[in-house]
Amino acid sequence: MSESAIRSRKEFGKTVAADITHRLREEIIACALPPGEPLRFDVLRERFGVSFTTLREALTALTAEGLVDAQEQRGFRVAPVSRQDLVEVTDARVLIEVELIRRAIERGDDDWEIAVISTLHRLKRIEQREPEHPLRDPEWKIAHRQFHQALVSACGSATLLAIRADLFDRAERYRHLSANFRPRPRDKAGEHQAIMQAAISRNPDLAVQLIETHIRSTADNVATYAAHLLDTE
C-alpha cells in the first residue's frame, strides 16, 4: 500500500479536520468532485457542520497533496487535470515501472512469487462482485494497488518504490476518468493475469511490454474519451 493510502487511514478518525481531509480526498480521487469544481466554504460548512478554521485546515492539507488549488482572492477548487500532466505522469510511471519490474524479476525469490500470485488472486475474488465497475468497490482499489506493488516489491530500492507510489497515486484520478468514460468494458483482469504470468515466468521483456501497454491504455482512453475535462480552467 502506498504512503498516502497508509497516511489517509491513519488520519481518518484522528481529528475532525483529518476526517474531512480523508473524505474530500476520496471524493476528488474518485471524481465525485470533478476537476475544477469550486470548493465553497458555505456549502462545505453546511454539509460537514464544521468551522471555517477546520475546513481551511483540511483544504490546505489537500492543496499540499496537489489535489486542491488555492486561488488568490477566489478560495479553493478541485485541482484541474490536464493533457500535460497526464502525459508527464504516464511517461514517468512507465520509466519507473519498467525499471522496477526488471529488477524484481531478476531478484525476486519464492516469497516474491507467492506475493504476486496471492495479491492477484485476492483482486480477482473482489472483481467477481462487480466485474463491470470494479473501481466502485473500495476494496478493489486497495487490492489493485497491492498487486501492482507486489510486482515490483523485490526491486531492492526503497527510494524508487517511494517515487513509484507517489506516481501511482497521482494517476488515480485518471484511472477513474478512464473507467467513467470508457465506451466499452476493458479486460483489466486479463491484463493483470498476463503481467503476473510473465513476471513469475521470469520473462522481463514480455513483462515490460505488458506493463507499459497496461499503463498507456488508461492514458490513451482518457485522452480520447475524457478530453473535454482536460485543460479546463
Side-chain angles (χ1 to χ4, degrees):
M1 187 178 295
S2 75
E3 292 179 1
S4 66
I6 294 170
R7 181 186 63 242
S8 67
R9 284 191 162 199
K10 288 181 178 178
E11 285 176 354
F12 189 70
K14 190 173 182 180
T15 66
V16 174
D19 281 351
I20 294 172
T21 302
H22 173 85
R23 291 164 67 181
L24 287 174
R25 181 191 295 115
E26 291 299 302
E27 291 185 18
I28 291 170
I29 288 173
C31 300
L33 287 170
E37 178 85 0
L39 296 168
R40 297 186 174 87
F41 276 94
D42 54 345
V43 174
L44 294 176
R45 285 184 66 184
E46 182 176 351
R47 177 183 171 190
F48 293 114
V50 296
S51 69
F52 175 90
T53 301
T54 299
L55 280 176
R56 177 170 288 278
E57 182 180 344
L59 293 174
T60 299
L62 292 171
T63 299
E65 294 180 24
L67 292 174
V68 167
D69 276 354
Q71 300 176 287
E72 188 174 354
Q73 306 298 325
R74 297 175 61 187
F76 295 87
R77 66 169 181 172
V78 177
V81 291
S82 70
R83 290 181 185 276
Q84 184 64 27
D85 184 60
L86 175 62
V87 169
E88 289 183 8
V89 169
T90 301
D91 286 347
R93 287 193 66 211
V94 168
L95 285 171
I96 291 290
E97 295 281 352
V98 163
E99 177 64 21
L100 295 195
I101 202 166
R102 282 192 182 277
R103 292 189 184 192
I105 290 172
E106 178 184 346
R107 304 176 185 188
D109 57 12
D110 290 346
D111 289 339
W112 170 73
E113 287 192 14
I114 291 169
V116 171
I117 294 169
S118 62
T119 52
L120 180 59
H121 177 71
R122 181 169 184 269
L123 183 62
K124 287 179 178 179
R125 293 294 297 270
I126 295 171
E127 285 172 342
Q128 292 172 0
R129 302 174 189 169
E130 196 171 1
E132 293 187 6
H133 303 287
L135 264 72
R136 294 177 182 174
D137 189 334
E139 289 188 37
W140 184 91
K141 290 192 288 185
I142 294 171
H144 178 249
R145 185 186 304 273
Q146 290 173 337
F147 168 65
H148 279 282
Q149 182 174 326
L151 282 167
V152 298
S153 60
C155 71
S157 173
T159 299
L160 289 175
L161 284 172
I163 294 170
R164 180 206 160 273
D166 287 340
L167 290 168
F168 193 93
D169 287 340
R170 284 184 61 184
E172 189 70 16
R173 278 204 296 172
Y174 293 112
R175 280 190 286 274
H176 278 273
L177 287 174
S178 178
N180 290 343
F181 291 95
R182 184 175 291 277
R184 62 189 65 84
R186 174 182 174 184
D187 184 19
K188 293 196 76 170
E191 294 176 28
H192 290 145
Q193 176 68 30
I195 294 167
M196 180 275 289
Q197 193 61 52
I200 66 171
S201 298
R202 310 294 173 149
N203 189 338
D205 291 339
L206 179 58
V208 162
Q209 175 188 333
L210 292 171
I211 199 71
E212 178 168 0
T213 300
H214 184 69
I215 292 171
R216 293 197 183 280
S217 177
T218 297
D220 291 345
N221 191 72
V222 172
T224 301
Y225 298 107
H228 59 290
L229 293 176
L230 300 177
D231 300 314
T232 54
E233 294 292 337

